[in-house]
């Protein structure tokens, strides 16, 4: 499956360059998104990004297609409609929202979410000491029903659990429990792990965020 890096761009190209270096071996397409009107500092950032790709990437022997898309964020709904079209089911994406205006990052985030494309969202910290990565499925994974909350909190309490463990803790009937487990898996809330004849259920990062916080 092809993988693409999508970044929002502001006045500083450093976020983009670092992302390109991180993912260069695993991507074949780069898309930079900018808001109009484009100021001189943003034009310089684009120039620096192009120079980096044309020199560093070419020198590395890597082929990388790239493009820059200009978005008018004064009409956010039209901007979202335009951006949504760049995300396709055939690709997997890393969407870096570290640069650019807040409005640009928000409309890009929304476009990616509603496209239901595969991938992850990442944001570098302002102090440049790290970055966070978020699975976009978290937006549509909740809310949990009462039974689903019991299941998720039981798995969190036990660390991992078989369906028998969950039935014992929650009192949910077997048939109902399996329907909930199937739904939670499809939404990325839980995962399963087989060991011999046993199947264990574990929380994903999405599941952790939807569970009750520890006291």
């Amino acid at each position: 499956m092809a993988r693409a890096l999508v970044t929002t761009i502001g006045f500083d190209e450093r976020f983009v360059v670092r992302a390109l270096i991180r993912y260069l071996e695993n991507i074949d397409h780069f898309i930079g998104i900018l808001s109009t009107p484009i100021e001189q500092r943003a034009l310089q950032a684009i120039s620096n990004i192009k120079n980096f790709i044309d020199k560093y990437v070419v020198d590395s022997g890597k082929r990388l297609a790239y493009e820059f898309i200009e978005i008018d964020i004064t009409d956010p709904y039209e901007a979202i409609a335009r951006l949504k079209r760049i995300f396709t089911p055939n690709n997997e994406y890393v969407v870096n929202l570290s640069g650019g205006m807040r409005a640009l990052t928000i409309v890009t985030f929304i476009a990616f979410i509603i496209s239901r494309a595969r991938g992850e969202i990442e944001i570098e910290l302002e102090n440049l000491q790290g970055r966070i990565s978020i699975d976009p499925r978290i937006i549509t994974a909740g809310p949990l029903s009462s039974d689903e909350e019991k299941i998720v909190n039981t798995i969190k309490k036990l660390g991992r659990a078989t369906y028998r463990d969950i039935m014992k803790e929650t009192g949910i009937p077997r048939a109902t429990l399996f329907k909930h487990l199937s739904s939670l898996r499809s939404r990325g809330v839980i995962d399963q792990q087989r060991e011999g004849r046993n199947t264990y259920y574990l929380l994903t990062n999405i599941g952790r965020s939807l569970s009750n916080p520890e006291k």
Side-chain angles (χ1 to χ4, degrees), residues 22-190:
R22 278 196 302 274
Y23 297 109
L24 183 58
E25 294 302 317
N26 300 311
I27 61 173
D28 55 17
H29 192 194
F30 165 72
I31 302 172
I33 303 173
L34 305 97
S35 57
T36 58
I38 302 176
E39 296 188 22
Q40 184 58 43
R41 289 176 292 176
L43 288 173
Q44 184 59 54
I46 295 172
S47 177
N48 292 339
I49 294 166
K50 287 181 178 178
N51 288 337
F52 174 80
I53 293 175
D54 292 338
K55 293 179 181 178
Y56 176 85
V57 175
V58 170
D59 289 345
S60 72
K62 173 74 176 183
R63 283 190 173 185
L64 182 68
Y66 67 88
E67 62 181 305
F68 295 90
I69 297 175
E70 300 176 11
I71 296 296
D72 179 5
I73 56 173
T74 61
D75 185 348
Y77 296 102
E78 182 62 25
I80 291 168
R82 281 198 61 198
L83 289 173
K84 181 167 62 70
R85 291 197 292 270
I86 74 175
F87 300 110
T88 66
N90 298 326
N91 283 358
E92 184 177 352
Y93 299 88
V94 176
V95 181
N96 185 297
L97 302 177
S98 304
M101 298 173 62
R102 289 190 296 271
L104 179 64
T105 63
I106 290 172
V107 297
T108 303
F109 172 81
I110 294 173
F112 181 52
I113 294 299
I114 65 176
S115 74
R116 296 190 178 275
R118 291 184 291 270
E120 62 182 312
I121 296 166
E122 71 168 20
I123 305 171
E124 287 201 50
L125 304 179
E126 285 83 352
N127 61 10
L128 307 181
Q129 298 302 305
R131 68 185 189 278
I132 62 171
S133 179
I134 301 171
D135 187 330
R137 293 178 299 171
I138 192 172
I139 304 298
T140 55
L144 302 179
S145 68
S146 175
D147 279 351
E148 288 174 337
E149 283 188 3
K150 293 177 183 178
I151 294 167
V152 166
N153 291 326
T154 294
I155 297 173
K156 183 174 185 177
K157 173 186 173 183
L158 299 178
R160 64 175 189 168
T162 65
Y163 81 89
R164 292 184 180 86
D165 297 328
I166 299 170
M167 284 179 59
K168 181 179 178 181
E169 290 282 331
T170 64
I172 299 172
R174 184 178 186 275
T176 303
L177 175 60
F178 274 108
K179 289 181 181 179
H180 288 315
L181 291 173
S182 177
S183 176
L184 291 169
R185 280 198 69 206
S186 68
R187 287 146 55 196
V189 179
I190 64 173

